[in-house]
Amino acid sequence: MSLKDQKTLRIVLAETPVQTRFETLQKLLENGYTVTCTTESGSVATESPNVLLIQKDSAPGHIVEQAESARVEREAVKQGEWKPWFPVIDYDRCTNCMQCLSFCLFGVYGVDQDHKIEVQNNDSCKTNCPACSRVCPEAAIMFPKYKTGPINGDIVTTADLQREKMKIDISALLGGDVYAMLRTRSERAQSRFSKERDPDKALKERQRCLVKLAEAGDIPAEVLMALPSPEEIAQRAETAKAKAAAALQNNSK
Amino acid sequence: MSKPKIIYCHCAYAQVVPKEVKEAVLRKLCEANVPFEAVADLCESSARRDPSLKRQVESGQIKIAACYPRAVKWLFAAAQAPLAPDATEVLNMRSQTADEIVERLLQPDLKSNLPTSQESGPKANQSAPL
C-alpha cells in the first residue's frame, strides 16, 4: 500500500493543563502523531475515525498509551518508522527536462497525466542520497533534510548554479542521450554523447561518476553498496531513459 | 479577520533543526496557551498527503514553524495542499532563533514570505557563463 493510502491517526488535545502540555506534546510527536492542540472548551469536531479526542487531565505517559491503543484498534499506521527522505520538486525552477527521471535507478520519479515530472514513489528513495539533485541543471530538486543549501531549500545563488553547470557534465555522462534530446548542444557535448553510445563505455562512465559523487560526500556508501549488478543498472538506466524520452516526446507534441 | 492558524513541525527524524530551537518553540507555544497544530514531521505528512495539511491551508491565514520557506512551499504542494502566497508566513527553525520565531507566531499580523518564482534564485539560463 502506498504511503498516501495508509490510514493515520490525529490526536486532538482539548483543555490540557498548560503545566503538562509541553511534555504531552513532545511524547506524542516523538511517537509520530499529528496533534491538534486546542484551548477551546465545548465541542470539538471529532467525527472522523481518524481522530482521537483526549480531554481528560491525564499524565503524559498515559495519553501516549491511549493514543497507541486507539491507533492499533483503528488500524492506523505507526508513523516515524520510515525516515522521510525523498526529493521535493521546486516547480518554479523545474524545466521538465527529465534528467532526474533518466538518472534515478530506483523508480522514484514518474510523469503525471500531463507528462509533467513528479515524485511518485517517495519511499523508494535511498535515505541520505541527494544524487538526483546534483544532476538537476536548475537546482530544482530539494531534500529538506539535507545539510546545506540550495538542496535543503535555501535560496539558490549564482554560485550554486555555477556548480550545477559543472554537474551537468556529470549528469550527461550518467544519463546519456536524454540530455542529448534537449534543445541545442555544443560540439563538445555532441562528441561526448556519441562516445556514450557504446554501452560498456557508458556503464563504466556511470560507475566512475558514482564513485566520484560518493567521494564528494554526496552519496552514502550504503547506497552505493545497495546498487544492483552492472547488468541490472544498465537495464534500469535503459528503462528510466525510455520513460524520460517518452515524456519528452509527448511534451514536444 | 481571525488570527492566523499556527502549524509547528517537530522534524522528528533528522538532526537538521537544532533540538534546542524546536523544543523552545514548542514549549513557548504551549505556555502561550494558544491553539496550534503540531506535526511530527512535515516531510512525512507531505509524503502521506496528510489531510490535516489541506484542512489547515483551507482555514485561511497560516503561520508555519518549520524550515526553509522554499522547501515548505513545495512540501505543501506535493501534499496537494498548496499554500496561498499572500496568506502564509514561514518561520525557519534552521536559521532563526526560538525567540524570533515565537514572537512572530504570536503576533496577530501576518508577513507573507513564500518565495515567488523570481525569488527562488537566478535560473541557469540567466546566470553568467563559466
Side-chain angles (χ1 to χ4, degrees):
Chain A
M1 191 188 287
S2 77
L3 288 168
K4 58 181 183 294
D5 298 322
Q6 294 173 353
K7 199 199 300 184
T8 56
L9 180 67
R10 176 167 63 96
I11 310 297
V12 176
L13 285 181
E15 300 176 72
T16 320
V18 171
Q19 296 80 0
T20 56
R21 193 174 296 164
F22 170 71
E23 195 184 340
T24 304
L25 254 294
Q26 204 177 30
K27 282 187 187 302
L28 287 168
L29 292 170
E30 280 164 9
N31 279 278
Y33 290 101
T34 293
V35 186
T36 302
C37 199
T38 174
T39 54
E40 292 166 17
S41 55
S43 65
V44 178
T46 57
E47 68 279 4
S48 164
N50 297 344
V51 175
L52 174 68
L53 173 64
I54 298 180
Q55 275 182 306
K56 290 176 191 164
D57 180 6
S58 302
H62 182 59
I63 288 178
V64 175
E65 279 172 28
Q66 273 183 270
E68 281 293 289
S69 302
R71 182 185 65 75
V72 173
E73 189 183 305
R74 299 177 196 199
E75 298 177 337
V77 71
K78 169 86 177 161
Q79 294 195 74
E81 295 189 331
W82 164 66
K83 181 175 175 178
W85 176 274
F86 56 89
V88 178
I89 300 173
D90 177 345
Y91 287 101
D92 283 339
R93 306 188 62 81
C94 177
T95 58
N96 217 28
C97 73
M98 304 292 164
Q99 287 214 47
C100 49
L101 173 59
S102 175
F103 175 79
C104 178
L105 294 174
F106 303 104
V108 172
Y109 294 94
V111 290
D112 67 11
Q113 56 193 10
D114 299 322
H115 314 294
K116 190 169 138 189
I117 189 76
E118 65 175 7
V119 176
Q120 287 184 342
N121 299 300
N122 314 54
D123 48 348
S124 297
C125 190
K126 297 295 173 192
T127 302
N128 297 332
C129 176
C132 58
S133 68
R134 315 298 283 187
V135 302
C136 175
E138 288 289 351
I141 297 175
M142 297 173 280
F143 286 85
K145 296 189 191 311
Y146 192 68
K147 53 186 183 295
T148 53
I151 295 174
N152 63 11
D154 201 355
I155 295 301
V156 180
T157 66
T158 305
D160 293 325
L161 281 177
Q162 300 296 347
R163 282 195 293 275
E164 299 310 320
K165 277 189 172 182
M166 286 185 275
K167 283 169 204 152
I168 291 173
D169 288 342
I170 296 174
S171 71
L173 287 169
L174 295 170
D177 50 9
V178 169
Y179 189 69
M181 297 173 72
L182 299 172
R183 301 182 289 269
T184 53
R185 295 179 301 171
S186 66
E187 287 296 318
R188 183 169 148 260
Q190 280 181 18
S191 159
R192 184 172 61 231
F193 291 132
S194 65
K195 281 178 201 159
E196 285 175 16
R197 291 200 184 100
D198 174 349
D200 288 342
K201 206 167 199 171
L203 181 58
K204 277 181 191 156
E205 286 296 334
R206 177 183 282 269
Q207 287 169 330
R208 193 172 64 80
C209 291
L210 284 173
V211 171
K212 267 191 181 175
L213 286 169
E215 283 168 355
D218 289 311
I219 304 180
E222 53 271 29
V223 173
L224 286 178
M225 297 295 281
L227 283 175
S229 67
E231 294 75 22
E232 178 81 352
I233 289 177
Q235 193 185 354
R236 290 194 197 182
E238 280 306 311
T239 307
K241 273 200 292 190
K243 273 166 79 176
L248 283 171
Q249 200 170 14
N250 278 312
N251 285 336
S252 64
K253 279 179 189 170
Chain B
M1 184 179 274
S2 61
K3 283 184 186 171
K5 297 276 187 339
I6 296 171
I7 295 184
Y8 162 86
C9 169
H10 199 56
C11 196
Y13 317 121
Q15 310 298 320
V16 290
V17 172
K19 192 167 184 276
E20 60 275 16
V21 174
K22 67 180 184 182
E23 285 190 0
V25 171
L26 182 62
R27 187 182 291 279
K28 287 175 183 178
L29 277 176
C30 290
E31 289 169 356
N33 200 23
V34 293
F36 64 98
E37 185 103 348
V39 297
D41 194 293
L42 186 56
C43 290
E44 181 161 6
S45 297
S46 169
R48 293 187 181 283
R49 294 189 186 167
D50 186 340
S52 294
L53 300 183
K54 195 162 194 177
R55 186 171 46 80
Q56 290 292 325
V57 168
E58 288 172 350
S59 69
Q61 291 190 327
I62 188 168
K63 292 186 181 185
I64 304 166
C67 55
Y68 289 99
R70 190 165 74 96
V72 172
K73 173 180 177 176
W74 293 107
L75 278 169
F76 272 79
Q80 299 192 333
L83 293 162
D86 56 349
T88 308
E89 180 173 353
V90 178
L91 289 313
N92 186 350
M93 291 194 287
R94 291 182 75 159
S95 66
Q96 293 178 271
T97 66
D99 286 342
E100 285 169 354
I101 291 166
V102 173
E103 189 192 340
R104 282 305 313 149
L105 288 175
L106 299 180
Q107 288 293 322
D109 67 312
L110 182 130
K111 294 179 180 171
S112 54
N113 65 347
L114 282 189
T116 61
S117 176
Q118 288 73 31
E119 288 165 349
S120 72
K123 304 288 168 31
N125 60 6
Q126 296 167 348
S127 64
L130 283 172

